[in-house]
Amino acid sequence: MEKYSALGLLKHSLSNHENWPRLWHNPTPKKKYDIIIVGGGGHGLATAYYLAKNHGITNVAVLEKGWLGGGNTARNTTIVRSNYLWDESARLYEHALKLWEGLSQDLNYNVMFSQRGVYHLCHTLQDIRDNERLVSANRLNGIDNEMIDAEQLQREIPLLDCSRNTRFPVLGASVQRRAGNARHDAVAWGYARAAAALGVDLIQQCEVVDMVIENGAITGVKTRQHGVIKADRVGCVAAGNSGVLAKMAGFELPVESHPLQALVSEPIKPVLDTVVMSNHVHGYMSQSDKGDLVIGAGIDSWVGYGQRGSYSIIEHTIQAIVEMFPAVSRVRMNRQWGGIVDTCPDACPIITATPVRNLFFNCGWGTGGFKATPGSGHVFAETLALGKAAPLAEPFSMFRFHSGALIDEHGAAAVAH
Amino acid sequence: MLHIFCPHCGEYREEEEFRCKGQAHIARPLDPEACSDEEWGHFMFFRQNTRGQHRELWVHSTGCRKHFNVIRNTVTYEIEKVYLVGTKPETEGAAS
Amino acid sequence: MSQTNRLSSGGLIDRRKPLSFQYNGKQYQGYEGDTLASALLANGVDIIGRSFKYSRPRGIVAAGAEEPNAVMQIGASEATQIPNVRATQQALYEGLVSSATNGWPNVDFDVMSYVGKIGGKMMPPGFYYKTFMWPQTMWPTYEKYIRKAAGLGRSSTMKDPDQYDTLNHHCDVMIVGAGPTGLAAARAAAATGARVIIADEQEMFGGSLLSSRELINGKPAIDWVRTVVDELSANPDVVMLPRSTVNGYHDHNFVTIHERRADHIGDRAPVGMTRQRMHRVRAHWVVLATGAQERPLVFAHNDVPGVMLASAVTTYIERFGVVPGNELVLMTSNDDAYLTALSWASTGRKVVAVVDSRAKADGDLVKQVIDKGIRVIFGSAVYDVDGGTRVKAARISGLTADGKKLTGKSETLSCDTIASSGGWSPVVHLSCHTGSRPVWDDNIIGFVPGETQQKQLIAGGIRGHYDLLDCLTEGMNCGYVAAERSGYGPVGKRPEYKVARIRRSPAMPLFLVPHLKPISQAPKQFVDLQNDVTSAGIELATREGFESIEHVKRYTAMGFGTDQGKLGNINGMAITAQVLGKSIAETGTTVFRPNYTPITFGAIAGRNCGELFDAKRYSAMQPWHEENGALFEDVGQWKRPWYFPKSGETMQQSLNREVLAVRNSVGILDASTLGKIDIQGKDAREFLARVYTNAWAKLGVGKCRYGLMCKEDGMVFDDGVTSCLAENHFLMTTTTGGAARVLEWLELYHQTEWPELEVYMTSVTDHWATMTISGPNSRKLLAQLTDDIDLDKDTFKFMDWRPGTVAGVPARVFRISFTGELSYEINVSANHGLQVWKKLMEVGKQYDITPYGTETMHVLRAEKGFIIVGQDTDSTLTPYDLGMGWAVAPTKPFSFIGKRGMAREDAVKPNRKQLVGLMAKKPDVVIPEGSQAVANPNQPIPMTMLGHITSSYYSATLGRSIAMGLIRGGLDRMGETVYYPQADGSVIEAEICSPVFYDPKGDRQNV
């Protein structure tokens, strides 16, 4: 892998950029792999990378039915944070956040991870109580988080209306200052390049249409384009389509796929240097390096695979944004789009062995998958390498929905991401 | 933005008047105590999550407050059929 | 400054109405009917912006929504600033203030352009992914400068003074676009009696006809437009929306239209006029008559000011009377662009040459141009441009028949304007919004709409049909079909359109004009002008492995601008296909999503901000609360009195006073907000037994009972007191925030699981005003206001209710208590609420009756260890976890909701978190709510947490702090010590105790 650097850029500019190597190739799939990862989004590519790097398993294929990083990796609002309430999830997301902190250097690819802080607004006394609880739990878990009052919040975010004139005045906020944003596409590309360099086969335009299961164990997958490809173990990381894959393997998941919409404004000069989210008025916003205001909308209540949702959701979101940031009323919304999120009843992911031996699933990240990308990949790689749940993944088994050991993060996840 | 025919009100109304309650025809086990944890977990949480023709329960929450079933395509979002709770549709719409 | 490029006659502007406006601090003049762009061109303004990445000078390219460069800051005051307005879509008005959005110190001389020139080679697509990584700590600094350079215009910093609104419509036929096709469709549909809406983004209806010289039925096209507009205006079933962009086409034929009602008069709009309006339209049928946009050709230095779209040049001449230069070179691959040469020539200015990429062409327009003696150079192309801030010359060369290579000698044509045309791209955007993919059509060299689920018809330019007669006929037919399918017509006599057909010779598929050098070495050939995406950038992306069109788009940022790639995307796809050696059909297109053009946040928000963001609910006693200085707490939609401070009091002093008043005499609480559900029917009792965890079989008439509700998982989700009003009639109360949720949940079970039960439920929350008088003097007080309710302690017992008259008003009185004191909850009809409340206050004076709010209520109930669902519970606690096993009746015959759930493995495991009381070792220390408990505060982080404080107060009654909280295995750990480490490093020590801090036997409520 050619190392990227400013000097390299200068060198290549002298030859008119004609000699840049490919980030990845388009290999013909082998007949058999040690491990097949179904889904070439951020999580799948990260899984492949850590399998190769940390576990020395390089006979790995990532099968992607479309283009790398083309699912929710390409459609989210890029927020990264780890301030989750329960120990199990806090540890998982903090593990991810720590990996984010050195990711650009690790991948030699600038994923533009920017720790500009994430604020959770409190509009009611119960919001304050919930956030105090969260902050206390985070601190004792070694995760930074702090409460600030409305006056300090107003000083830190001039654009936010912290007056008493709003329908639900802001009473305060919790803020995780190590949280922030990253460049979503770059994460997929960076992992893809690094994984490919370690020998992983990235196979695009390769759709899995069936699972090959013999005596209760998976032995391979059937693909639309390349027939059966065999594997010792298979890991499915296909947000938005997990239910479809599970059906192929003959079981159901406690997961429903819903449209989740997002939108951006036209690019404007910097007005907001952080991420602000409000569960109560249902909106959150940040500003990208390009100048777009990046806004997350709510989730539609029905199952939908169409990558689009209802306009009323967009309306409510914009109302919330204008309510919170009245000065942006005259700014214009440029684009909206939708992703498909796999939601779990407890707003926590599933990283799990399944009723089928050697078949593992990593899904159900709901609205919050992007932030977990490195952690999810890291933990799932370990799970696939071990053939059983990695320690951090243990609480996230699909079988928790039988025993009742749920990890209810609705409070911390809510609209939030 | 779905346009939904409420079979109780007898007219099409805007989606904002309704709420989707998830997969239809999930009957509460008649003898819950006879269920294993696994069976009870399935009843509560595990869903078909169908890509394509999906039967789901809706409620006309800001209208007549009545529930009814819908067959809707989860890819095209077209509603193929609306029918009352306790009934099964006479004909199956074509899955797409 | 004079309008050097303005013609003395012609166009649809009104020369009698001059308008002055400001651009970059200078005054200019234009005319009514101008756009800001046409006025700037009339005044000879060449540079209207700087490009995003390389800071190159840029000029106006287009005349409509596809304009990538002329993106302006508009607004005369801070509060009315509008960023990123396309000058081509902004009507000119008197006093308009505009400026360019980039460039320092100004657009004419921009320091950044030197950085762009020198560093440009170092900034290929994706350069930032490859740099700014060392050292790691420097990234925030790098990023600060990246952010500074980003963005176009700026947002206002003030609250928007303007008003926006929303209008809902239903219609039979929704027509998008009021060009010839749309107008013909509207006319046809309207003739059937159908309800029609027709919207167009431009200032006036007419579309391409506004700059056309063609004749319809022997008369100038504009006359036909006026006739049809008059005809439609007279029809009450037709809604006409000019200045209205259909920005989104959603599922089930739902269309959103962004109407700009005052932007054409801007800051001069009268006060109170709605600036913009969103129309939300549910249409039976939609006719897309969105036409087509011209595609420029891509060649080296094609971004120099003076390089324009051919059709835009025609529009400026024909519609605005503006010739944007003196000497024109026209570069085309098709016949249509010859119109531009004819227009230009008609103004008396010079057409240097028409450079046609085709080896030959003999269509009608070509012949006309040749007949005028204009030089036409076939088989050639403009491959490069001379000039920095304005075109100085076009470099042309012969071109191979496949358009892949230059041949022959180069020639330099001196000129100041280059108009280019690569043909037309149908405006398919809306057809894609509901998930339909456009399809490449080689015949028309463009994408056309694909199959759709929507009730949608397409006509005219969007199908790649550009002949005027075809547009009129197709439009008309679609109008009739749409109306008929909506149940109108048929109409007997159809109008006939007579239009002379223009014979066109075949167009050539050409997108990128090759240069003498290969793509990577040629001067910049711009594909997306707003984002500085070049053909070399696209080629580099594919070289690095970005081969999917989506990857190319994302890696190069092609199409991400405010023009959303209307000008450049098809060229970009074609160039991608070319460098990959694929066809355009194979390469495919990216997906168009809403919005078609950007729309104002304020318009989408409409009136639903501030006061109307969410409904506010008040009880009937609100005026009294306000008069008496209550502070309010938001609980759901309700505004509830929080506490009633007296002047000079701190909050704690107020609470202490209110708490002690209840404990020592009598206090009064407005409890109207609690949810109230009236339940009737012969199976009502059975129904209650199924939805509550406890038993209801024996609750007699006149009795009340507290109940807990769980979900199927066995976790508590609401609670309240339900009273038996009559044998088959109950009144259920719920939490304030949970009322609607509970009712819907009850209905769900009744309608889907147990329809055989005869039970009826309805919300009566708003019907009743509820006031709770609580404290040892409450009975005495009530006795003075009723003479028909026997208040004797042995006949009207705790947990009884009685009907009667209070303060002369029919009332229901419930002897229930959330404070632990003798309490009566008096319910009267909401209309009587205020009057009865006032009476209670008046008569209660002798007992020093004290109003108290939610905060005091919380303290009082915490002293008694009563839970608040949602504060002391989350969705993870069973009744047993709350120490409320007494409220569960596992022996009930029916397996009530929650029973099976609370028996699951995890719900019955030992050492679950349980609700207990906690007393800080230092009685004056109130443990902050939310604090997490640990067994050993000196353990290393991450610490093992035992549970958190859910409620914590200073209790004036007890003269010390009290708290409730969860502790792992807490019910078995009474008397043990736990520690609460605080953010400031301090640790609060507390002892686990019973949550009932006061009057544990309940004597006070039973007096």
Side-chain angles (χ1 to χ4, degrees):
Chain A
M1 185 170 86
E2 178 180 327
K3 198 169 164 81
Y4 288 153
S5 67
L7 200 66
L9 198 60
L10 177 67
K11 189 188 85 188
H12 279 288
S13 73
L14 298 177
S15 57
N16 300 301
H17 303 289
E18 285 167 0
N19 301 311
W20 284 108
R22 293 178 67 100
L23 276 74
W24 54 78
H25 292 270
N26 290 323
T28 307
K30 300 179 204 165
K31 292 228 164 1
K32 181 174 182 294
Y33 290 92
D34 293 347
I35 294 175
I36 282 177
I37 295 162
V38 182
H43 289 222
L45 294 165
T47 305
Y49 170 67
Y50 292 116
L51 269 176
K53 184 190 166 212
N54 295 358
H55 304 280
I57 304 173
T58 57
N59 186 26
V60 172
V62 176
L63 309 185
E64 167 54 50
K65 75 170 176 169
W67 37 284
L68 297 176
N72 292 340
T73 305
R75 286 163 217 284
N76 67 85
T77 49
T78 80
I79 295 167
V80 174
R81 60 183 178 86
S82 67
N83 52 349
Y84 278 71
L85 177 62
W86 300 98
D87 296 346
E88 297 87 345
S89 37
R91 277 178 202 141
L92 181 61
Y93 286 103
E94 178 63 14
H95 180 58
L97 183 55
K98 291 224 166 73
L99 289 169
W100 276 112
E101 284 173 331
L103 193 60
S104 293
Q105 286 69 31
D106 185 30
L107 298 178
N108 177 234
Y109 202 80
N110 191 351
V111 298
M112 305 175 94
F113 176 51
S114 167
Q115 294 178 293
R116 58 183 68 257
V118 172
Y119 293 74
H120 284 258
L121 303 188
C122 304
H123 300 264
T124 66
L125 298 174
Q126 188 58 38
D127 280 351
I128 296 270
R129 282 187 283 266
D130 289 342
N131 276 274
E132 294 271 16
R133 176 185 181 190
L134 179 64
V135 166
S136 178
N138 283 167
R139 296 181 77 94
L140 299 185
N141 266 326
I143 296 168
D144 80 299
N145 202 349
E146 64 188 275
M147 289 296 290
I148 58 174
D149 63 19
E151 287 73 34
Q152 189 182 344
L153 183 61
Q154 186 71 85
R155 281 196 300 279
E156 294 186 13
I157 312 176
L159 191 69
L160 181 68
D161 186 351
C162 295
S163 73
R164 306 290 305 171
N165 303 328
T166 55
R167 174 66 182 84
F168 296 105
V170 178
L171 305 178
S174 66
V175 49
Q176 185 180 27
R177 300 197 188 273
R178 281 165 64 237
N181 299 96
R183 171 87 179 102
H184 53 358
D185 291 329
V187 177
W189 302 339
Y191 273 119
R193 169 172 170 262
L198 293 172
V200 171
D201 281 356
L202 307 180
I203 301 163
Q204 300 183 74
Q205 305 292 329
C206 181
E207 183 180 359
V208 170
V209 293
D210 207 356
M211 306 268 175
V212 185
I213 296 168
E214 292 164 23
N215 303 321
I218 192 154
T219 60
V221 295
K222 189 174 163 199
T223 68
R224 190 180 301 284
Q225 291 84 354
H226 301 284
V228 171
I229 307 175
K230 292 191 154 282
D232 294 335
R233 286 180 190 147
V234 174
C236 293
V237 211
N241 288 286
S242 308
V244 178
L245 289 170
K247 192 169 279 179
M248 291 176 200
F251 58 89
E252 286 181 1
L253 288 169
V255 156
E256 281 193 325
S257 303
H258 293 264
L260 175 68
Q261 301 180 80
L263 57 109
V264 290
S265 76
E266 299 183 298
I268 55 170
K269 295 278 181 268
V271 290
L272 182 64
D273 194 28
T274 186
V275 185
V276 181
M277 31 202 351
S278 166
N279 286 359
H280 195 85
V281 306
H282 284 280
Y284 66 92
M285 183 163 95
S286 63
Q287 187 172 18
S288 75
D289 284 353
K290 203 166 160 284
D292 306 351
L293 298 175
V294 182
I295 295 165
I299 192 164
D300 285 271
S301 65
W302 32 266
V303 171
Y305 289 90
Q307 293 193 332
R308 59 187 194 280
S310 285
Y311 176 70
S312 51
I313 304 261
I314 297 286
E315 278 179 323
H316 289 312
T317 301
I318 301 282
Q319 286 156 12
I321 292 301
V322 177
E323 177 75 354
M324 289 157 70
F325 305 99
V328 304
S329 167
R330 299 173 83 84
V331 176
R332 295 183 298 182
M333 163 181 162
N334 197 14
R335 262 176 308 126
Q336 67 170 84
W337 64 92
I340 312 165
V341 294
D342 288 345
T343 58
C344 266
D346 60 356
C348 270
I350 292 172
I351 308 172
T352 192
T354 67
V356 177
R357 251 185 356 270
N358 295 331
L359 174 64
F360 298 84
F361 266 69
N362 179 352
C363 63
W365 291 90
T367 60
F370 177 72
K371 67 175 73 70
T373 305
S376 164
H378 199 269
V379 166
F380 199 44
E382 191 180 343
T383 299
L384 287 169
L386 293 172
K388 67 181 178 86
L392 278 178
E394 266 172 27
F396 297 96
S397 155
M398 66 186 277
F399 304 108
R400 72 179 185 269
F401 294 95
H402 296 159
S403 71
L406 272 55
I407 308 156
D408 193 327
E409 286 288 357
H410 279 107
V415 278
H417 302 272
Chain B
M1 282 278 280
L2 309 181
H3 205 208
I4 300 168
F5 183 81
C6 173
H8 302 285
C9 297
E11 41 181 78
Y12 280 95
R13 308 295 294 180
E14 295 297 324
E15 180 187 338
E16 292 143 291
E17 294 187 12
F18 301 86
R19 222 189 324 259
C20 183
K21 310 294 281 187
Q23 186 180 325
H25 306 299
I26 297 173
R28 186 174 195 263
L30 289 174
D31 186 0
E33 274 60 46
C35 292
S36 65
D37 276 4
E38 183 176 343
E39 285 162 343
W40 196 249
H42 264 270
F43 156 65
M44 287 195 291
F45 300 123
F46 288 67
R47 297 295 177 260
Q48 289 171 352
N49 196 25
T50 309
R51 186 188 173 101
Q53 196 190 57
H54 189 235
R55 294 177 183 200
E56 54 200 13
L57 182 68
W58 285 75
V59 59
H60 196 180
S61 49
T62 62
C64 62
R65 298 201 282 121
K66 292 256 190 178
H67 293 73
F68 57 94
N69 294 320
V70 166
I71 299 179
R72 188 177 58 88
N73 187 303
T74 58
V75 180
T76 67
Y77 300 171
E78 287 304 293
I79 291 174
E80 294 168 14
K81 201 165 192 78
V82 168
Y83 59 101
L84 297 177
V85 169
T87 66
K88 295 267 174 172
E90 296 145 26
T91 52
E92 307 281 308
S96 55
Chain C
M1 206 173 176
S2 62
Q3 301 183 42
T4 50
N5 285 335
R6 183 80 71 179
L7 298 170
S8 55
S9 64
L12 301 175
I13 48 161
D14 189 345
R15 287 179 178 74
R16 288 164 306 175
K17 291 187 184 153
L19 301 170
S20 49
F21 69 101
Q22 217 183 79
Y23 166 66
N24 280 353
K26 280 192 211 156
Q27 291 293 328
Y28 295 91
Q29 275 213 337
Y31 294 117
E32 188 158 306
D34 261 328
T35 61
L36 176 56
S38 67
L40 286 167
L41 287 171
N43 285 283
V45 175
D46 290 336
I47 303 175
I48 45 66
R50 286 276 168 174
S51 77
F52 177 70
K53 197 160 153 189
Y54 304 125
S55 282
R56 292 165 68 101
R58 291 282 163 81
I60 295 166
V61 170
E66 68 274 38
E67 172 61 36
N69 291 336
V71 171
M72 304 293 194
Q73 185 78 25
I74 303 268
S77 69
E78 177 59 27
T80 58
Q81 289 298 308
I82 316 169
N84 304 350
V85 175
R86 253 184 297 279
T88 51
Q89 293 189 294
Q90 174 62 54
L92 197 65
Y93 55 84
E94 178 62 30
L96 183 150
V97 177
S98 65
S99 57
T101 51
N102 272 331
W104 185 85
N106 59 56
V107 284
D108 295 316
F109 176 79
D110 181 10
V111 172
M112 281 306 289
S113 70
Y114 294 94
V115 179
K117 268 185 192 152
I118 301 160
K121 275 204 98 165
M122 289 272 290
M123 294 194 275
F127 74 96
Y128 29 82
Y129 305 131
K130 296 170 178 164
T131 49
F132 303 125
M133 284 183 278
W134 293 271
Q136 192 177 344
T137 50
M138 278 295 284
W139 168 243
T141 312
Y142 297 138
E143 193 182 30
K144 201 168 91 190
Y145 288 98
I146 292 172
R147 285 174 83 84
K148 262 193 184 161
L152 294 169
R154 66 179 187 86
S155 167
S156 153
T157 54
M158 296 167 72
K159 196 174 159 66
D160 190 342
D162 278 317
Q163 185 164 272
Y164 305 85
D165 61 23
T166 307
L167 209 54
N168 292 294
H169 304 263
H170 291 265
C171 72
D172 298 307
V173 183
M174 170 75 227
I175 293 159
V176 186
T181 314
L183 286 174
R187 196 183 191 198
T192 67
R195 293 166 305 158
V196 174
I197 300 176
I198 176 166
D200 192 282
E201 63 180 348
Q202 295 209 53
E203 293 293 312
M204 54 178 99
F205 282 5
S208 62
L209 300 179
L210 297 172
S211 49
S212 169
R213 293 187 174 192
E214 286 185 80
L215 303 178
I216 299 174
N217 301 335
K219 288 186 192 157
I222 191 71
D223 291 352
W224 179 82
V225 171
R226 286 178 180 135
T227 308
V228 175
V229 167
D230 288 346
E231 187 183 306
L232 295 174
S233 306
N235 186 331
D237 289 324
V238 177
V239 175
M240 300 165 76
L241 297 171
R243 300 188 188 99
S244 300
T245 305
V246 176
N247 63 290
Y249 188 172
H250 305 265
D251 286 285
H252 298 191
N253 263 21
F254 182 77
V255 168
T256 51
I257 309 173
H258 179 224
E259 182 189 10
R260 294 167 300 280
R261 297 172 64 78
D263 288 57
H264 61 297
I265 40 180
D267 300 301
R268 303 175 62 81
V271 174
M273 179 171 179
T274 295
R275 181 179 166 225
Q276 297 177 353
R277 173 175 291 163
M278 289 305 297
H279 298 264
R280 306 162 94 251
V281 179
R282 188 70 76 173
H284 278 139
W285 280 86
V286 169
V287 177
L288 296 181
T290 48
Q293 276 155 350
E294 195 168 27
R295 213 161 43 228
L297 288 162
V298 178
F299 44 88
H301 292 123
N302 58 338
D303 67 326
V304 177
V307 177
M308 297 178 72
L309 273 182
S311 60
V313 172
T314 308
T315 297
Y316 286 117
I317 295 171
E318 300 293 341
R319 179 165 164 198
F320 300 104
V322 172
V323 203
N326 290 303
E327 298 182 318
L328 174 75
V329 167
L330 174 69
M331 163 70 213
T332 182
S333 62
N334 60 79
D335 276 20
D336 284 319
Y338 279 76
L339 279 170
T340 307
L342 293 170
S343 284
W344 191 283
S346 73
T347 68
R349 299 197 186 186
K350 186 176 172 190
V351 178
V352 177
V354 175
V355 182
D356 192 322
S357 61
R358 299 170 293 182
K360 62 169 191 182
D362 57 0
D364 295 344
L365 297 170
V366 180
K367 281 184 186 154
Q368 285 181 46
V369 166
I370 292 171
D371 288 350
K372 284 217 178 325
I374 294 170
R375 182 183 173 198
V376 177
I377 310 168
F378 286 110
S380 294
V382 175
Y383 69 88
D384 204 344
V385 178
D386 290 354
T389 55
R390 176 83 200 196
V391 171
K392 289 198 175 117
R395 302 213 173 194
I396 70 165
S397 169
L399 188 69
T400 55
D402 62 0
K404 295 277 164 62
K405 278 201 185 100
L406 297 182
T407 59
K409 267 202 328 204
S410 298
E411 184 183 348
T412 303
L413 300 175
S414 187
C415 62
D416 65 359
T417 306
I418 299 172
S420 91
S421 172
W424 300 98
S425 296
V427 179
V428 299
H429 304 66
L430 291 171
S431 73
C432 305
H433 287 179
T434 50
S436 161
R437 290 221 165 231
V439 180
W440 181 257
D441 182 344
D442 276 326
N443 294 321
I444 66 135
I445 316 172
F447 283 100
V448 293
E451 274 183 37
T452 181
Q453 299 286 325
Q454 307 303 314
K455 291 179 175 174
Q456 164 200 298
L457 300 169
I458 52 173
I462 189 174
R463 302 179 64 188
H465 298 170
Y466 306 125
D467 187 85
L468 180 55
L469 185 59
D470 291 342
C471 290
L472 292 168
T473 314
E474 276 178 27
M476 178 179 70
N477 290 340
C478 281
Y480 284 127
V481 170
E484 272 176 37
R485 290 182 185 171
S486 306
Y488 297 84
V491 166
K493 190 169 173 290
R494 298 185 169 203
E496 242 181 85
Y497 292 114
K498 286 185 191 133
V499 180
R501 277 202 188 272
I502 298 170
R503 204 179 59 78
R504 292 170 168 85
S505 27
M508 169 178 172
L510 181 65
F511 306 94
L512 171 67
V513 177
H515 195 268
L516 299 167
K517 297 178 180 171
I519 290 176
S520 56
Q521 293 167 27
K524 288 192 166 60
Q525 302 162 316
F526 286 95
V527 177
D528 178 334
L529 288 158
Q530 195 174 95
N531 281 331
D532 276 349
V533 178
T534 63
S535 55
I538 292 173
E539 189 191 46
L540 173 62
T542 60
R543 180 180 299 130
E544 295 194 78
F546 295 93
E547 292 164 330
S548 151
I549 192 65
E550 286 284 354
H551 275 156
V552 171
K553 172 184 135 182
R554 285 162 181 276
Y555 197 57
T556 63
M558 178 176 84
F560 273 100
T562 63
D563 57 331
Q564 299 227 32
K566 291 189 179 66
L567 211 56
N569 269 6
I570 307 291
N571 283 330
M573 291 160 202
I575 292 166
T576 305
Q578 183 187 325
V579 296
L580 290 173
K582 290 182 176 174
S583 71
I584 297 176
E586 284 167 334
T587 306
T589 175
T590 56
V591 180
F592 296 107
R593 299 179 183 280
N595 298 310
Y596 173 67
T597 52
I599 51 174
T600 311
F601 282 149
I604 304 171
R607 301 281 172 96
N608 301 302
C609 283
E611 279 292 300
L612 300 180
F613 177 72
D614 195 11
K616 274 184 189 167
R617 296 175 79 184
Y618 302 108
S619 82
M621 286 78 91
Q622 180 70 11
W624 192 94
H625 302 327
E626 284 175 15
E627 276 166 33
N628 287 275
L631 296 181
F632 293 92
E633 177 187 2
D634 283 307
V635 184
Q637 290 176 322
W638 292 95
K639 290 280 180 187
R640 295 196 72 180
W642 188 21
Y643 61 100
F644 292 82
K646 289 191 169 167
S647 70
E649 276 182 347
T650 64
M651 179 175 174
Q652 189 59 54
Q653 286 167 339
S654 304
L655 300 183
N656 291 350
R657 175 176 52 74
E658 292 176 9
V659 164
L660 292 175
V662 172
R663 294 285 176 227
N664 296 330
S665 180
V666 62
I668 181 165
L669 173 82
D670 182 350
S672 308
T673 63
L674 282 188
K676 291 178 272 293
I677 301 171
D678 191 278
I679 303 179
Q680 303 189 31
K682 74 173 171 56
D683 297 316
R685 192 179 292 274
E686 170 63 19
F687 187 74
L688 290 175
R690 294 182 183 191
V691 299
Y692 273 124
T693 57
N694 49 343
W696 294 84
K698 292 181 183 142
L699 186 72
V701 176
K703 296 283 178 191
C704 315
R705 185 167 290 169
Y706 174 82
L708 276 178
M709 282 176 181
C710 293
K711 289 276 177 82
E712 292 286 12
D713 62 3
M715 306 300 155
V716 171
F717 98 106
D718 210 277
D719 70 344
V721 169
T722 291
S723 307
C724 185
L725 301 182
E727 183 44 37
N728 295 326
H729 189 185
F730 295 83
L731 182 71
M732 173 186 282
T733 63
T734 71
T735 58
T736 297
R741 193 166 58 225
V742 169
L743 179 57
E744 192 169 305
W745 178 76
L746 297 177
E747 289 286 3
L748 171 71
Y749 273 88
H750 177 229
Q751 292 175 31
T752 63
E753 293 293 342
W754 312 313
E756 69 280 6
L757 297 186
E758 191 185 328
V759 57
Y760 308 90
M761 290 158 275
T762 192
S763 167
V764 293
T765 305
D766 295 298
H767 302 35
W768 297 92
T770 306
M771 43 215 98
T772 302
I773 51 172
S774 188
N777 286 323
S778 55
R779 182 181 288 130
K780 277 188 260 173
L781 171 59
L782 183 55
Q784 285 169 265
L785 288 163
T786 183
D787 46 20
D788 59 356
I789 302 175
D790 180 358
L791 296 178
D792 182 83
K793 70 182 172 65
D794 296 320
T795 48
F796 188 178
K797 289 187 198 155
F798 180 55
M799 297 309 277
D800 284 353
W801 79 274
R802 295 288 177 270
T805 309
V806 176
V809 166
R812 289 174 183 164
V813 179
F814 300 80
R815 194 182 156 188
I816 55 180
S817 177
F818 199 38
T819 62
E821 296 295 330
L822 174 68
S823 291
Y824 295 93
E825 203 174 80
I826 303 161
N827 284 254
V828 298
S829 85
N831 290 338
H832 290 123
L834 185 56
Q835 155 197 350
V836 173
W837 178 278
K838 282 181 176 168
K839 193 77 187 168
L840 282 164
M841 292 307 298
E842 184 193 315
V843 177
K845 235 178 224 158
Q846 55 191 302
Y847 309 109
D848 198 17
I849 188 169
T850 301
Y852 65 96
T854 51
E855 191 66 22
T856 299
M857 174 187 83
H858 284 194
V859 179
L860 290 163
R861 63 86 203 181
E863 288 172 347
K864 288 290 297 173
F866 295 147
I867 62 159
I868 290 184
V869 170
Q871 175 170 343
D872 299 298
T873 70
D874 50 20
S875 57
T876 66
L877 299 168
T878 68
Y880 298 106
D881 298 333
L882 297 170
M884 296 173 76
W886 52 266
V888 184
T891 55
K892 282 196 284 186
F894 193 88
S895 181
F896 60 86
I897 298 174
K899 184 180 177 186
R900 178 63 187 86
M902 63 181 81
R904 287 174 301 159
E905 178 190 332
D906 193 72
V908 295
K909 72 175 184 202
N911 218 22
R912 282 178 62 85
K913 285 182 184 169
Q914 291 161 333
L915 189 73
V916 294
L918 292 143
M919 278 206 278
K921 294 279 169 81
K922 293 182 183 159
D924 56 333
V925 172
V926 178
I927 314 170
E929 285 170 348
S931 299
Q932 299 279 348
V934 297
N936 168 14
N938 299 315
Q939 65 186 297
I941 279 173
M943 295 194 188
T944 302
M945 286 170 255
L946 305 174
H948 73 287
I949 296 287
T950 60
S951 298
S952 187
Y953 311 95
Y954 178 78
S955 160
T957 311
L958 301 167
R960 61 152 299 138
S961 68
I962 55 170
M964 294 160 76
L966 298 175
I967 294 289
R968 207 166 270 294
L971 292 172
D972 298 324
R973 300 179 60 177
M974 292 297 150
E976 291 183 24
T977 298
V978 289
Y979 300 87
Y980 292 91
Q982 299 299 303
D984 63 5
S986 67
V987 175
I988 299 172
E989 204 177 337
E991 185 183 313
I992 302 172
C993 59
S994 156
V996 187
F997 297 92
Y998 185 62
D999 185 25
K1001 291 198 181 123
D1003 297 335
R1004 299 180 67 89
Q1005 67 199 11
N1006 284 315
V1007 293

